Amino acid sequence: GVDVDSASCAELFALLSSLSKLPIRQGIAVTGALNQHGEVLPVGGLNEKIEGYFRVCKEIGLDSKQGVLIPERNMRHLM
């Protein structure tokens, strides 16, 4: 298992979006952790997070503009 803060990438993206005045599409979910050197770390429960996000999207109406950003090091965990 991986035990890290899986929201720190989303927090960084929100901060950068605010500072740059460039909005982030609201249909994009983000998971990923950052270490003290700014490196993106893998997170646990990836498949469950993605499935949960798309389950909610389906309930409110998918419009093909939804997506999920994940750490590259998590690619091997996708099912």
Side-chain angles (χ1 to χ4, degrees), residues 4-5 8-9 12 33-41 73:
V4 294
D5 170 22
S8 51
C9 279
L12 174 64
L34 293 173
N35 68 14
Q36 65 270 29
H37 303 290
E39 299 168 324
V40 178
L41 304 173
R73 291 168 53 184

Side-chain angles (χ1 to χ4, degrees), residues 34-69:
L34 293 173
N35 68 14
Q36 65 270 29
H37 303 290
E39 299 168 324
V40 178
L41 304 173
V43 296
L46 182 73
N47 291 301
E48 292 82 3
K49 290 175 184 177
I50 293 171
E51 289 171 8
Y53 173 68
F54 281 105
R55 194 174 312 118
V56 169
C57 289
K58 186 176 180 182
E59 287 179 18
I60 62 173
L62 285 169
D63 62 9
S64 73
K65 294 182 181 178
Q66 290 84 12
V68 180
L69 291 175

